[in-house]
Amino acid sequence: MKTIIPLLLLALTVGASTVQAAETPSARTPLHTSDCIDPSQINEWHIVDARTAIVRTGPKRYLVTLQSACPRLGIPPRGLVFRPNRSNALVNQGRICGEVGETVHSRNQPPCAIESVSKIDKPRFDQLSARAKRHSSGADQPTTMPAH
């Protein structure tokens, strides 16, 4: 009996840590520098829902997922403005890669933290853009990086 209790405690501890590990969100996997969004090259963007935007820069298409809902995102003027984290503002020419500290905002909308950025293909982009609530060209993007 004395050996069964420690074994049961050990089994419970291992089981609890396995459940905790399964519930822990996965680590961010930012895009490689060459694949990041260059806000100055945005041709079009669409707001699919309060947590999802899609962006096209020439032939590259991206899915941008936000950490929380941003219901006024995409409202003009300047409906979608990306802000890089300090590191990317300095060394990566303001590109958006899906790293911690990157945000997007609209007029009268507080900055919304970006959870992830991933590349998508044209059929997926077209499918999501058909469901979009708001959209625009890249003409409303700032020509200089916003100040922090």
Side-chain angles (χ1 to χ4, degrees), residues 45-54 66 70-75 79-80 104 106 128-129 131-136:
W45 56 261
H46 303 268
I47 304 301
V48 179
D49 59 42
R51 288 195 62 214
T52 310
I54 55 174
L66 307 176
C70 294
R72 295 184 304 224
L73 199 58
I75 295 175
L80 195 67
V104 63
S106 296
L128 291 169
S129 66
R131 296 184 4 221
K133 299 187 310 184
R134 289 183 278 280
H135 57 89
S136 185

Side-chain angles (χ1 to χ4, degrees), residues 39 78 80-86 88-89 94-97 99-105 110-112 114 141-142 145-148:
R78 296 184 68 187
L80 195 67
V81 180
F82 287 94
R83 183 164 287 158
N85 61 22
R86 290 198 180 273
N88 282 340
R95 287 182 163 85
I96 304 297
C97 304
E99 296 179 4
V100 173
E102 296 173 339
T103 62
V104 63
H105 69 95
C112 302
I114 294 174
Q141 291 296 307
M145 272 190 292
H148 281 283

Side-chain angles (χ1 to χ4, degrees), residues 12-69:
L12 288 173
T13 305
V14 170
S17 18
T18 304
V19 169
Q20 183 180 4
E23 293 174 357
T24 304
S26 61
R28 286 179 186 254
T29 307
L31 294 175
H32 184 272
T33 303
S34 63
D35 287 329
C36 297
I37 298 172
D38 181 347
S40 69
Q41 299 297 313
I42 293 176
N43 301 108
E44 66 179 294
W45 56 261
H46 303 268
I47 304 301
V48 179
D49 59 42
R51 288 195 62 214
T52 310
I54 55 174
V55 176
R56 183 175 67 82
T57 61
K60 295 180 182 178
R61 292 165 178 83
Y62 302 90
L63 175 67
V64 179
T65 306
L66 307 176
Q67 287 182 2
S68 58

Side-chain angles (χ1 to χ4, degrees), residues 105-119:
H105 69 95
S106 296
R107 181 184 178 136
N108 301 322
Q109 168 83 47
C112 302
I114 294 174
E115 183 175 290
S116 66
V117 175
S118 57
K119 290 180 75 176

